[in-house]
Amino acid sequence: MKDKKLYMIGNAHLDPVWLWQWQEGFQEAKATFRSALDRMKESEDFIFTSSSAAMYEWIENNDPSMFEEIRARVSEGRWNIVGGWWIQPDCNIPSGESFVRQGLYGQRYFKEKLGVTAKVGYNVDSFGHNGMLPQILKKSGMDYYVMMRPMPNEKGLPGRTFWWQSDDGSKVLTFRIMYEYLSWGKDLENHVRRCLGEFKEPLNDLMLFYGVGNHGGGPTKENIASIRRMNGEAGLPKLEFATPDRYFEDMVESGLAFPVVHDDLQHHASGCYAAHSGIKQWNRQAENRLIAAEKFSALASWITGQPYPQADLSRAWKNVLFNQFHDILAGTSLEAAYDDARYLFGEAMAIADRSLNYAVQSLSWNIGIEQDESMHPIVVFNPHAWQSRVNVELEVGGMKDASVLLDETGKPVPFQTVKSQASARGRYRLSFMADLPPLGYRTYKLVKESASLKPIGEPISASDLVLENGLLRLEFDKQTGFIKSLKDKELNFEVMKDGARPVVIEDKSDTWSHDVLHFNGPSETFSAAKVLRIEHGPVKSVVRVVSEYGSSKLVQDFAMYPGSKQIDVSVTVDWREKFKMLKLVFPVNVIFSKQTYEIPYGTIEREHNGEEEPGQNWVDYTGIVQETNDVYGLSLMNDAKYSYSMHAKEMALTVLRSPIYAHHVPYEPDPNGEYSFIDQGIQHFNYSLLPHQGTWEQAGTARRAAELNCKPVAVIETFHEGKLPQTDSFVNVDHDNIIVSAVKKAEDNDDLIVRCYETAKRATSAEIRLPKWNRVIRADFKPSEIKTFRVPANAEAAVTETSMLEWELAKA
């Protein structure tokens, strides 16, 4: 066995939050790092490996002298920094931009404070890994990756060590940990011997991770002594204190041909995609609010000189990134941890709201708006770099029966009043469709009374049970409240042949849903309490369906607009059930289907086998209309959920699960005990249905989902002189499949950082234009490629492509 080697990786998997709150994790981080430093003093050849910049920041702020010891050991090469991210996050639920920020803030922290950056991505306990990570890792300075879940019983892989490739061709050499990422504090012989069968020719080198973990602890004296003892035994492989960096470097130098895996790595703990609706929704809201705040803060800093809140936005992002830790965002921590998470998200969203408000009001205050006492100017900002037609609603005062809404040219715009959020006289809620320029703004004018101008627009046909415009006919069943029919009038095609419905499924699995892939237990459904039309006007008509099940209530408001195939649904759930799951099921009447899921900065096609799957803002079910042979599909978009399933011809959104907080098998709950159950009470979210002829790419699903999740910002202004026109655009792209996902100030100067990604898996030569500064970025995108550009504040300097870390990376 001495021709084989085990690289012994001394580590301490430390969950800063799980069955304990962060304050306990904070103390355990200090104790674990202290123990690792002490082992180094005792053993000159001992090496320690550790990740997660957030915990180093704790040590730096709370024990500076220990931090200096760590800095010295890093410099010496015996303290190995891996996983250059802020934390070890859930690797399915965060957005693509969040994964970029994990590296941006993690790697920059390690470089600034410790003089190194991580070469090895490191997420040993995350519950599955999205297929875009190889590209994000590479462009964040990491050429290698260490993971463990899914384990061999959950996903077969061609070897312990393999190349993992994403759609753009980026590859990282990846290792799947054997059995566990930790060991107990005793002799390691059993830990070593169970791995002997893992050696498969020609690979004679593997990594073995040891050290007390989860609650921290790290390698013990007995661990280290047993490694030395076993090295003298002929029947065991060579055991060497090492780092993941050394292992991967040796594997590359070996010249071995490792297999390539081009896929996401799933499934582990499928229940985590839906567990705890609150944490999922707060995460989505905070990500989108921060991205919008950065865009307009960066633009305002260049246009009006409004100071860019760099330090505040960094703090907000670090809050969000910490809450993306896999046991927090997955919904598997104890109940009190979600109070802590809510505080962090609250601080992040307060910073985002404040920054966004400063930025848009700085811009709107500089718009030249003529004095007219009879009107209220309303400036609407579009956070997306494409022409956007979206429903805008805002609370206003002072409306009259003869009020009209005009655009900046004086042309009337259809509008209506809908139910105000205030139950008081004199307040109204204005609703209109805004046509907005790409990443810019447009000024509308609400004229209180006009004798010469009249409101325009005609409502669609709408009753209590039917919504119908020129493109679609949507019908509800009065007894059940289900969607009885959704017909595409252009094709005379029934999109939903059997009707859409809410389904309640028995779910007695634990918080993780260990070893559960399909949620197909006994099911029941809601019954309709009432179905009625609640809004009707030239902008939209809305039918409300109120359904009941047990002690729970489901309210869905279905909105249809003139000339649009998109149906927006506002949902309120009052959930009072235990050990049950709620899904919304949509049958799709096509054959030869293809199922597409949005994943972070990309897409993936999966089988319609009923397995619970993670997805981002949207999923799509497209196939062939049997009667006409037309390509047709249905996109399902939402602003708060991440869990989907597709079985045969049914597409489903998992709304919630209600297991016990932090219930981990094999613990069996006492049938007579009192427990706290997840997702009890009221929650709100929105989803949209987009039936489409042709593919989801042709339908613009990715853009429509982005509009649902990151809405326009409206400012009620006043009259003033200003240098800015009443409508303007700051960034646009010449191809629909290229999305500008982030615009921000650079971390190190006043340059702009612009990030874009390709959405349709199609090689594209694109132009990203910043017309106000006469800047044009010309770039060739590979399929699903993410590109980051630096636009210098100096107009004479050229735009350059940079890494996600905003500095040039050494070539691997």
Side-chain angles (χ1 to χ4, degrees):
M1 291 292 287
K2 292 303 180 187
D3 62 334
K4 304 182 187 335
K5 184 194 292 186
L6 283 175
Y7 290 66
M8 301 300 292
I9 310 300
N11 80 111
H13 181 66
L14 179 54
D15 292 328
V17 177
W18 181 28
L19 306 179
W20 45 85
Q21 291 175 259
W22 69 268
Q23 295 89 342
E24 188 174 339
F26 186 111
Q27 197 284 326
E28 191 53 44
K30 291 191 294 184
T32 298
F33 285 10
R34 179 71 267 158
S35 174
L37 290 166
D38 290 346
R39 301 293 79 75
M40 288 182 176
K41 292 177 182 177
E42 298 161 359
S43 304
E44 292 184 358
D45 53 352
F46 169 69
I47 302 171
F48 184 65
T49 290
S50 183
S51 72
S52 303
M55 287 186 273
Y56 288 84
E57 187 179 68
W58 285 350
I59 304 298
E60 180 191 12
N61 291 337
N62 200 238
D63 192 340
S65 62
M66 191 199 302
F67 191 78
E68 289 305 315
E69 286 186 70
I70 293 171
R71 193 201 308 268
R73 293 301 190 184
V74 170
S75 179
E76 185 185 2
R78 293 180 59 199
W79 188 296
N80 180 228
I81 298 295
V82 293
W85 287 358
W86 196 246
I87 207 76
Q88 289 189 40
D90 181 279
C91 287
N92 287 312
I93 295 170
S95 68
E97 189 59 24
S98 284
F99 285 109
V100 173
R101 300 310 173 96
Q102 288 283 353
L104 177 70
Y105 293 112
Q107 291 281 51
R108 293 185 77 94
Y109 179 87
F110 286 135
K111 184 177 183 181
E112 178 187 346
K113 304 294 185 177
L114 299 175
V116 299
T117 55
K119 305 301 181 196
V120 177
Y122 192 88
N123 288 290
V124 301
D125 196 24
S126 301
F127 311 146
H129 309 258
N130 78 79
M132 288 297 289
L133 286 185
Q135 181 181 177
I136 293 171
L137 289 162
K138 289 285 286 188
K139 293 184 175 181
S140 301
M142 288 172 276
D143 299 318
Y144 314 112
Y145 195 54
V146 176
M147 44 74 69
M148 187 179 75
R149 311 183 195 280
M151 299 178 83
N153 62 306
E154 296 165 322
K155 182 175 182 66
L157 291 172
R160 284 288 174 187
T161 305
F162 58 93
W163 289 106
W164 187 25
Q165 179 175 313
S166 54
D167 287 338
D168 73 310
S170 298
K171 291 192 296 187
V172 289
L173 193 58
T174 301
F175 182 83
R176 177 160 68 179
I177 292 173
M178 302 177 290
Y179 296 102
E180 294 178 275
Y181 47 70
L182 51 72
S183 64
W184 306 117
K186 305 299 182 184
D187 188 290
L188 296 176
E189 184 165 350
N190 287 340
H191 193 41
V192 168
R193 288 193 177 278
R194 66 179 174 176
C195 296
L196 298 183
E198 294 290 333
F199 288 101
K200 306 291 184 185
E201 294 289 348
L203 183 60
N204 289 320
D205 301 285
L206 296 169
M207 283 191 282
L208 184 64
F209 288 71
Y210 72 97
V212 179
N214 287 342
H215 198 260
T220 65
K221 295 179 182 180
E222 194 167 349
N223 288 163
I224 295 167
S226 66
I227 292 172
R228 293 201 173 95
R229 175 184 61 76
M230 285 185 285
N231 247 334
E233 295 190 18
L236 294 175
K238 181 180 179 182
L239 276 58
E240 183 178 293
F241 294 113
T243 66
D245 299 61
R246 172 70 184 280
Y247 174 79
F248 286 118
E249 289 164 5
D250 288 352
M251 293 306 98
V252 172
E253 290 177 8
S254 74
L256 291 172
F258 295 103
V260 176
V261 174
H262 183 188
D263 197 3
D264 59 359
L265 304 179
Q266 311 292 0
H267 299 91
H268 178 83
S270 298
C272 292
Y273 312 148
H276 203 293
S277 294
I279 196 74
K280 307 297 198 282
Q281 185 172 51
W282 306 331
N283 178 72
R284 183 83 65 84
Q285 291 170 339
E287 288 173 332
N288 283 291
R289 205 64 171 170
L290 280 169
I291 288 168
E294 283 181 336
K295 285 178 178 176
F296 287 112
S297 294
L299 293 168
S301 73
W302 272 27
I303 295 166
T304 69
Q306 174 68 33
Y308 186 82
Q310 186 80 269
D312 286 349
L313 290 170
S314 294
R315 181 71 268 155
W317 268 111
K318 289 173 182 178
N319 286 4
V320 172
L321 300 179
F322 184 85
N323 275 341
Q324 290 173 348
F325 179 70
H326 53 268
D327 279 312
I328 301 176
L329 192 53
T332 55
S333 292
L334 76 169
E335 186 174 11
Y338 292 99
D339 293 332
D340 299 331
R342 189 170 63 248
Y343 304 150
L344 279 182
F345 274 130
E347 182 183 34
M349 285 190 271
I351 289 170
D353 282 346
R354 185 165 58 247
S355 303
L356 180 59
N357 184 63
Y358 272 124
V360 296
Q361 293 225 29
S362 175
L363 291 166
S364 67
W365 191 250
N366 280 275
I367 297 171
I369 303 175
E370 70 278 9
Q371 184 168 349
D372 182 346
E373 301 293 341
S374 71
M375 66 92 171
H376 292 302
I378 301 169
V379 184
V380 183
F381 291 85
N382 177 16
H384 305 292
W386 57 83
Q387 186 81 24
S388 188
R389 179 173 171 80
V390 287
N391 185 217
V392 172
E393 292 191 356
L394 71 159
E395 299 286 321
V396 297
M399 289 191 68
K400 308 287 185 181
D401 289 342
S403 293
V404 293
L405 183 68
L406 310 176
D407 66 16
E408 80 285 358
T409 69
K411 180 181 177 182
V413 175
F415 76 96
Q416 70 190 71
T417 56
V418 295
K419 188 177 187 305
S420 171
Q421 294 177 351
S423 298
R425 292 181 179 177
R427 292 297 289 177
Y428 305 88
R429 189 162 183 82
L430 178 68
S431 177
F432 63 99
M433 296 300 290
D435 286 298
L436 303 175
L439 195 45
Y441 62 84
R442 191 175 190 187
T443 305
Y444 292 85
K445 299 166 186 180
L446 181 62
V447 180
K448 299 173 190 175
E449 289 185 283
S450 174
S452 59
L453 295 170
K454 302 297 180 186
I456 65 167
E458 293 296 326
I460 65 171
S461 173
S463 65
D464 286 347
L465 296 177
V466 176
L467 294 170
E468 185 172 0
N469 62 17
L471 303 172
L472 297 175
R473 186 179 191 276
L474 177 64
E475 183 178 357
F476 300 91
D477 185 286
K478 186 172 185 177
Q479 273 66 48
T480 64
F482 300 170
I483 294 176
K484 184 177 181 180
S485 168
L486 175 60
K487 180 172 285 188
D488 186 309
K489 295 169 64 175
E490 291 180 298
L491 287 184
N492 192 30
F493 169 60
E494 187 62 64
V495 182
M496 293 187 191
K497 196 167 188 178
D498 300 316
R501 63 202 183 277
V503 175
V504 179
I505 302 169
E506 184 180 275
D507 172 21
K508 293 190 175 179
S509 61
D510 68 2
T511 311
W512 288 255
S513 299
H514 280 110
D515 298 322
V516 176
L517 295 177
H518 306 83
F519 292 95
N520 52 9
S523 64
E524 300 173 286
T525 191
F526 283 72
S527 58
K530 51 187 172 182
V531 183
L532 71 163
R533 192 187 76 186
I534 61 167
E535 303 285 359
H536 188 51
V539 176
K540 65 178 181 179
S541 295
V542 181
V543 167
R544 172 169 292 169
V545 179
V546 181
S547 307
E548 295 174 343
Y549 170 85
S551 301
S552 300
K553 180 185 286 188
L554 172 66
V555 180
Q556 299 188 83
D557 291 347
F558 293 83
M560 183 179 283
Y561 311 90
S564 173
K565 281 190 173 181
Q566 183 166 320
I567 299 165
D568 292 337
V569 189
S570 175
V571 183
T572 300
V573 183
D574 186 359
W575 188 252
R576 306 291 170 178
E577 316 306 319
K578 300 171 182 177
F579 294 122
K580 294 183 187 295
M581 164 186 279
L582 173 60
K583 283 179 176 279
L584 299 177
V585 179
F586 305 92
V588 188
N589 183 27
V590 295
I591 60 174
F592 301 126
S593 64
K594 177 173 69 175
Q595 297 71 227
T596 307
Y597 296 71
E598 185 187 36
I599 62 175
Y601 274 155
T603 59
I604 192 168
E605 293 174 14
R606 298 182 176 127
E607 303 83 354
H608 64 169
N609 56 15
E611 288 189 5
E612 202 72 8
E613 301 281 6
Q616 294 273 305
N617 300 331
W618 61 269
V619 294
D620 181 81
Y621 195 111
T622 292
I624 300 295
V625 177
Q626 190 164 12
E627 293 78 11
T628 64
N629 223 28
D630 288 302
V631 175
Y632 201 96
L634 178 66
S635 295
L636 170 62
M637 308 170 283
N638 81 88
D639 67 356
K641 307 296 178 182
Y642 296 88
S643 193
Y644 306 89
S645 62
M646 301 200 199
H647 185 243
K649 292 190 175 185
E650 290 190 333
M651 175 170 59
L653 171 69
T654 302
V655 175
L656 56 82
R657 298 179 56 236
S658 47
I660 297 170
Y661 271 97
H663 171 212
H664 194 298
V665 294
Y667 175 85
E668 293 189 10
D670 180 350
N672 298 315
E674 293 294 327
Y675 297 96
S676 188
F677 288 79
I678 296 178
D679 272 359
Q680 301 298 292
I682 295 173
Q683 59 172 278
H684 308 275
F685 71 98
N686 300 282
Y687 71 88
S688 297
L689 299 170
L690 181 62
H692 55 84
Q693 296 182 41
T695 66
W696 63 263
E697 295 95 332
Q698 294 167 323
T701 295
R703 288 186 168 189
R704 301 294 82 75
E707 291 168 348
L708 173 65
N709 278 271
C710 195
K711 295 183 181 299
V713 180
V715 176
I716 299 177
E717 259 300 342
T718 185
F719 334 110
H720 40 64
E721 295 181 355
K723 62 183 180 182
L724 297 179
Q726 292 190 5
T727 184
D728 210 347
S729 172
F730 306 125
V731 184
N732 65 77
V733 190
D734 67 345
H735 281 71
D736 290 349
N737 59 315
I738 304 296
I739 284 183
V740 176
S741 54
V743 178
K744 62 184 285 292
K745 269 285 191 75
E747 296 294 310
D748 50 8
N749 61 21
D750 287 335
D751 295 349
L752 282 188
I753 298 294
V754 178
R755 190 155 20 257
C756 313
Y757 70 104
E758 195 283 321
T759 61
K761 297 188 180 181
R762 187 172 73 242
T764 302
S765 295
E767 288 188 355
I768 302 100
R769 305 186 187 97
L770 286 72
K772 208 166 192 68
W773 300 280
N774 294 317
R775 291 282 201 174
V776 179
I777 304 170
R778 295 179 176 87
D780 294 327
F781 288 79
K782 298 175 186 175
S784 300
E785 187 175 12
I786 311 158
K787 283 184 175 286
T788 304
F789 303 98
R790 180 183 284 269
V791 183
N794 176 5
E796 303 301 318
V799 176
T800 57
E801 185 175 353
T802 186
S803 73
M804 292 173 178
L805 306 180
E806 301 178 15
W807 68 61
E808 196 68 28
L809 294 175
K811 299 298 182 183

